[in-house]
Amino acid sequence: MTNDPPGSEKAFQWLLAGAVCAILLLSSACQKAPGTARDQLIYISEEKEIALGLAAFREVLKSAPLSRDPEVTLMVNRVGQRIAKAAQKPEYVWEFAVIQDDDQVNAFALPGGKVAVFTGILKYTKTEGGLATVMAHEVAHALQRHGAERYSRGILEQIGQLGALAGAAAGGVDPGLAIGAMSAYGVGVALPNSRDQETEADFIGLQLMAKAGYDPREAVPFWERMSGCPRKMIGKFCFRSQNAIPEFLSTHPSDVTRINQIEAWIPQALKFYHPETLPPESPESPTKKPMSGPVSKS
């Protein structure tokens, strides 16, 4: 005869243990995001985060085909370094790479100031102002430590999922309810958190590009180009495939939500915009200088 508690009691103990672990993590890792005061959960040191970002970036550069276009590479580095200077984060060793992939409309940031731009997004940036919109957004992700935040939330999610599955295995929790609870957590917490990070990167990025000497008003036409629609037609007569996904089930804000928010923030960002402070090697306005890159296939 075993002394194990009955299934319902064992399930409760598993869930209680998970809750205790979660509370301990939360109590030691809560902080405020710089620039927005949003509540953040970060359970990893910045030093470790930087080391992880560097290792991941090195792995990416080993396998990714880098652009051989010197003009594009120079432009991405020039824009990136100006934005990095505006970020005032000298402990980060900022690096910028251009990955040759015309089909990949994307860019990403890794912890510690490692940023990569895929050539596929250049047909949408069009100008240095458009490129600054993208790169300032990615630099903001690094500044706000969004990677560390996702890493930390992943730890809590694993604790919660293990507790739910253990409860189901012990017979005290209906498996369907356990899976449903985990799915609800993803929609109710994890996805909104990811959207919060995207919104925060838009907000901070708008100010960064302005401080770097790029007109923040360039962000609106860039996101219109990314949507594939004129502003007033987004979601009405003009659709992208992503628009079929309801916003509450998406990790990113909808095109309309994002553009509306950016337009509301532009007056604040313009207070930081001083184009006359641009370095002398760029006599042309960055928002007017055309950008070379892959020609759209459309």
Side-chain angles (χ1 to χ4, degrees):
M1 185 174 180
T2 177
N3 293 323
D4 288 343
S8 58
E9 186 177 345
K10 182 181 286 187
F12 176 76
Q13 290 178 357
W14 273 101
L15 293 172
L16 181 61
V20 170
C21 289
I23 290 170
L24 290 174
L25 284 174
L26 285 167
S27 63
S28 63
C30 289
Q31 61 183 55
K32 297 291 185 180
T36 63
R38 178 178 62 84
D39 288 331
Q40 279 185 307
L41 170 71
I42 296 181
Y43 193 66
I44 180 177
S45 70
E46 192 166 19
E47 292 76 14
K48 182 176 181 181
E49 179 193 14
I50 291 172
L52 290 172
L54 175 60
F57 196 61
R58 291 290 173 263
E59 285 301 313
V60 169
L61 296 186
K62 282 182 184 178
S63 57
L66 299 181
S67 172
R68 295 184 179 181
D69 186 328
E71 186 177 352
V72 169
T73 301
L74 181 64
M75 187 176 297
V76 167
N77 275 276
R78 179 172 64 246
V79 174
Q81 290 298 339
R82 286 183 194 159
I83 293 170
K85 183 178 179 180
Q88 297 183 332
K89 190 74 172 176
E91 57 268 43
Y92 284 3
V93 180
W94 294 96
E95 293 185 62
F96 303 94
V98 185
I99 298 176
Q100 185 66 47
D101 188 339
D102 294 351
D103 295 325
Q104 185 71 263
V105 182
N106 208 350
F108 67 83
L110 291 171
K114 313 303 179 187
V115 179
V117 174
F118 291 88
T119 55
I121 203 169
L122 302 183
K123 56 180 172 278
Y124 295 98
T125 56
K126 299 292 186 186
T127 66
E128 282 199 36
L131 178 61
T133 301
V134 173
M135 299 194 70
H137 176 94
E138 297 305 331
V139 166
H141 274 309
L143 285 180
Q144 300 301 106
R145 301 187 64 194
H146 289 160
E149 190 175 6
R150 288 192 292 271
Y151 178 91
S152 302
R153 286 195 174 273
I155 295 174
L156 286 182
E157 289 172 21
Q158 289 177 24
I159 291 172
Q161 290 175 6
L162 287 172
L165 292 174
V173 179
D174 181 88
L177 292 177
I179 294 171
M182 289 156 57
S183 299
Y185 177 86
V187 171
V189 179
L191 291 180
N193 180 258
S194 182
R195 288 197 296 272
D196 285 346
Q197 291 179 347
E198 285 297 312
T199 298
E200 191 169 78
D202 284 342
F203 176 74
I204 298 295
L206 206 63
Q207 295 185 13
L208 285 175
M209 67 181 291
K211 291 177 182 178
Y214 297 102
D215 190 340
R217 289 168 291 199
E218 282 287 291
V220 172
F222 164 74
W223 286 112
E224 285 182 333
R225 291 192 295 270
M226 281 289 287
S227 77
C229 312
R231 165 70 187 286
K232 293 182 180 180
M233 296 178 66
I234 296 175
K236 296 178 181 177
F237 305 104
C238 182
F239 297 91
R240 288 191 302 173
S241 60
Q242 296 96 310
N243 288 346
I245 304 173
E247 184 173 2
F248 74 94
L249 289 176
S250 171
T251 59
H252 289 61
S254 70
D255 295 324
V256 171
T257 297
R258 170 169 260 151
I259 292 173
N260 285 342
Q261 288 174 335
I262 287 173
E263 285 188 326
W265 297 329
I266 283 175
Q268 184 178 351
L270 283 171
K271 296 176 183 178
F272 302 103
Y273 177 47
H274 303 290
E276 66 275 9
T277 62
L278 279 174
E281 66 266 21
S282 294
E284 295 183 67
S285 168
T287 61
K288 299 301 181 184
K289 185 176 180 180
M291 183 174 178
S292 62
V295 177
S296 174
K297 298 177 182 178
S298 60

